[in-house]
Amino acid sequence: MDAKQQCQIELELYTQFGSAGRKIGGPKLQDARGVDGNPHLLVVADCWTNQVNLYRHHKGEIHFQASMKLTGADGVLKSPRDVALFGDKVLVVDGTANVRVFKDENGVLETTYTVNKGSKVNLDCIAANVEGDYFFVADKITNKVSTHNLTKGLLRTLDVGITPAFMTFNDGKFAVSDHEAEKVCVFDVESGAMVSEFRAPSVRGVSFHQRSVIAACSDGLFGSGSLRQYVDGELVGKIADGLFFPQGMAFLSHDKLAVADKTTAKVFRVRPMMS
């Protein structure tokens, strides 16, 4: 068995909720785009309802906990595009220059962090280290990813060369995807150097799994979405098919993968591919 085969995984649907699957309470999902989580908490951003929903995972069951409804200072509702867990906080971007900071246990807005005050900014995706030291935001106008600390402010800025739609971070690397260019670029956090880039048709959300990248792919036709695994930039297989419109993804643990699938949130059980 070669190195790529050793990285291959297979998925089994563990649970889903929203317009299909389990009834767990809370608002109905209509345009689930961003997702993040850990073994105990799942957070889903819904662009259509202008809400970010918190769900608790306890003893094998997922339960709705709270909703965070985004309203700007001018009273205009914003559309949350992506979320990231950040220590005991939830960070939310909504296509503006603002990063909304919520407490994760009750969904109460704690503060608003503004990127590039006075400039036109479109923050569409966000990623963070779970300890809460720093986070990354991607600006679709400048095609730059910037690294920030809530107290120290801007740490660095990197031109990623593509229009970032989704982003992920893990183990010293971050990846950004560009749906229009059908490309994924992976960067080293410390040096800012590009580690790899590869073509991924119809790519939307991305997530790391060991040395591979999992890509959520949809050509825009509802019901034709899939999840694909790339190792060293090469497609090694389609690991899930028939999804409605998969967008953001996040590993909740080493063996659980959450996917924002438009009107549902799906959680897959992850295991090594059996030879």
Side-chain angles (χ1 to χ4, degrees):
M1 182 182 295
D2 62 26
K4 290 187 176 64
Q5 290 176 317
Q6 290 178 353
C7 291
Q8 280 187 273
I9 60 173
E10 56 185 5
L11 302 181
E12 177 188 14
L13 185 62
Y14 173 69
T15 189
Q16 63 176 329
F17 55 91
S19 63
R22 297 181 61 248
K23 306 300 181 185
I24 62 172
K28 185 178 294 186
L29 296 175
Q30 297 188 47
D31 189 10
R33 186 185 189 277
V35 64
D36 200 7
N38 58 36
H40 311 292
L41 181 68
L42 176 62
V43 188
V44 181
D46 190 328
C47 278
W48 186 262
T49 63
N50 303 311
Q51 294 184 136
V52 174
N53 300 322
L54 301 178
Y55 305 88
R56 286 289 174 186
H57 189 203
H58 180 64
K59 294 183 177 179
E61 298 289 335
I62 294 178
H63 305 277
F64 171 75
Q65 176 166 310
S67 287
M68 303 176 287
K69 198 168 184 66
L70 302 188
T71 306
D74 54 3
V76 178
L77 292 175
K78 307 300 180 182
S79 299
R81 312 295 178 83
D82 202 8
V83 293
L85 292 184
F86 191 60
D88 64 347
K89 308 180 193 310
V90 178
L91 308 183
V92 183
V93 291
D94 60 1
T96 68
N98 295 323
V99 177
R100 313 298 180 98
V101 183
F102 293 86
K103 293 290 288 183
D104 72 9
E105 74 271 13
N106 51 23
V108 174
L109 181 65
E110 186 175 273
T111 188
T112 296
Y113 178 96
T114 302
V115 175
N116 291 347
K117 292 182 180 179
S119 301
K120 189 174 177 60
V121 176
N122 183 344
L123 303 181
D124 223 37
C125 51
I126 187 167
N129 74 324
V130 295
E131 293 79 14
D133 299 324
Y134 52 85
F135 62 91
F136 310 88
V137 289
D139 180 9
K140 294 184 71 172
I141 295 177
T142 62
N143 295 345
K144 292 181 179 179
V145 170
S146 52
T147 310
H148 300 261
N149 178 279
L150 284 178
T151 55
K152 297 178 181 178
L154 176 66
L155 301 179
R156 68 182 302 171
T157 302
L158 178 67
D159 190 334
V160 295
I162 59 175
T163 303
F166 291 89
M167 179 166 52
T168 188
F169 164 80
N170 188 44
D171 196 25
K173 296 183 294 183
F174 73 88
V176 290
S177 64
D178 183 337
H179 176 71
E180 297 297 327
E182 300 190 322
K183 184 182 288 188
V184 176
C185 297
V186 182
F187 295 87
D188 178 79
V189 171
E190 288 297 322
S191 66
M194 184 185 293
V195 176
S196 65
E197 63 176 324
F198 58 92
R199 184 174 180 270
S202 305
V203 64
R204 296 184 186 274
V206 287
S207 192
F208 287 119
H209 183 267
Q210 297 177 359
R211 55 180 285 195
S212 69
V213 173
I214 311 301
C217 303
S218 176
D219 58 11
L221 296 176
F222 292 152
S224 65
S226 64
L227 304 181
R228 302 169 189 171
Q229 184 180 18
Y230 294 82
V231 178
D232 297 335
E234 295 183 14
L235 177 65
V236 297
K238 186 182 292 186
I239 54 178
D241 210 351
L243 279 76
F244 189 67
F245 190 74
Q247 301 191 83
M249 292 188 302
F251 276 89
L252 309 181
S253 60
H254 73 281
D255 63 347
K256 295 288 189 310
L257 174 66
V259 181
D261 193 19
K262 188 70 174 179
T263 58
T264 62
K266 292 179 169 64
V267 180
F268 291 90
R269 185 178 282 113
V270 182
R271 55 192 177 205
M273 178 73 76
M274 302 300 292
S275 58

